[in-house]
Amino acid sequence: MDQSTANPPNGHTHPRTSERTFEDLVAEGAAVPTEGWDFSWFEGRATEARPSWGYARSLAGRLAGATAALDIQTGGGEVLDFALGTAAPTAPVLTVATEGWPPNVAKATALLRPRGVAVVATPEDAPLPFADATFDLVVSRHPVRPDWPEIARVLGPGGTYFAQHVGPASVFELVEYFLGPQPDQDRSDRHPDRERAGAQAAGLEIVGLRAERLRVEFHDIAAVVHFLRKVVWMVPGFTVETYAPRLRALHEQIESEGPFVAHSTRHLVEARRRIG
């Protein structure tokens, strides 16, 4: 899914919901809070295969070897909190996180402050509010879009950017179900080749770049509604009222044919700021 997108945990198929009405399920999906990037609510209602590289655990290893780290667009801080807990007691002396959405800033602050992490409220499209060469490790999981010049600027010489990005056309089977055919996503800024070029133009050396396409299943219409409310850039302006006919048709399809299947795209990026 997209951070962008979402990454609901794997789980068993949700019990049959045929005894629950379309209206009940839609109301449930519309009522779930959307702040943070904790996707435990989806357990049993939606599944997404996980990338083989295991980003959160790999991140813990990187944090254990860093002295000053920055997590860009931390969301609710859940991934960083897990990684720091795994990396302890050798976590960086200095760790800072940025986030742009106020509900997530509050959630991340509450979660990360006990670990000594300062959460800085920063709009996604604003320059990073840090001095040049402050960090030896910059990380991000599902940034809206990487600002390569800013990442390079705040990294010290030899410093590393380690991140999991959402790739092109992620969960587009669902997007196109609601919006119709979309432009060629292979040409989007999310394509790994374009991100490689952007990083290199900013003075970063790509050390590693891996991509995977992963199966996603939605087991009921409540999961679809909650996902589109949470990952708002997938179907801009989504509301239950606007898309009620399509939602009802999709509910009937799931009830008769089984889960709605889509595919997410992810890539793991490791880049290093050149020395000299």
Side-chain angles (χ1 to χ4, degrees), residues 6 8 20 31 64 148 195 208 220 225 245-248 263 265 268:
R20 301 186 61 195
W148 295 113
E195 293 206 333
D220 68 26
V225 169
R246 294 298 285 162
L247 287 168
R248 184 176 291 278
H263 296 84
T265 56
L268 185 70

Side-chain angles (χ1 to χ4, degrees), residues 61 76 82 106 147 149 207 222 232 248:
F82 170 85
D147 187 335
V207 178
V232 295
R248 184 176 291 278

Side-chain angles (χ1 to χ4, degrees), residues 181-241:
Q182 298 297 294
D184 184 359
Q185 290 297 302
D186 285 341
R187 299 180 182 178
S188 78
D189 291 340
R190 293 184 181 274
H191 194 280
D193 290 344
R194 288 178 175 257
E195 293 206 333
R196 180 192 298 273
Q200 291 172 337
L204 298 172
E205 175 190 4
I206 294 293
V207 178
L209 182 58
R210 299 169 59 186
E212 292 185 3
R213 186 171 184 262
L214 306 158
R215 183 182 176 93
V216 178
E217 295 184 357
F218 293 91
H219 293 272
D220 68 26
I221 202 65
V224 173
V225 169
H226 182 47
F227 176 71
L228 294 178
R229 289 177 57 241
K230 194 174 186 74
V231 191
V232 295
W233 46 88
M234 301 299 286
V235 178
F238 172 83
T239 66
V240 168
E241 294 75 18

Side-chain angles (χ1 to χ4, degrees), residues 33-99:
T34 58
E35 67 271 10
W37 290 114
D38 176 4
F39 287 83
S40 58
W41 180 87
F42 285 98
E43 182 70 31
R45 316 190 75 135
T47 61
E48 179 179 5
R50 298 301 181 89
S52 61
W53 49 73
Y55 176 72
R57 293 193 178 277
S58 297
L59 174 59
R62 302 307 178 101
L63 289 167
T67 57
L70 168 65
D71 183 22
I72 298 173
Q73 296 178 28
T74 194
E78 297 89 353
V79 175
L80 181 60
D81 178 65
F82 170 85
L84 286 170
T86 305
T90 56
V93 173
L94 171 66
T95 304
V96 183
T98 67
E99 175 56 34

Side-chain angles (χ1 to χ4, degrees), residues 75-154:
E78 297 89 353
V79 175
L80 181 60
D81 178 65
F82 170 85
L84 286 170
T86 305
T90 56
V93 173
L94 171 66
T95 304
V96 183
T98 67
E99 175 56 34
W101 192 41
N104 276 352
V105 172
K107 186 169 185 177
T109 299
L111 185 63
L112 296 174
R113 179 178 289 168
R115 295 199 182 278
V117 178
V119 178
V120 181
T122 306
E124 294 165 356
D125 56 353
L128 293 170
F130 308 108
D132 296 358
T134 299
F135 304 99
D136 59 309
L137 177 67
V138 175
V139 303
S140 191
R141 180 182 177 276
H142 302 178
V144 174
R145 60 182 57 82
D147 187 335
W148 295 113
E150 281 295 284
I151 292 167
R153 182 184 65 79
V154 300

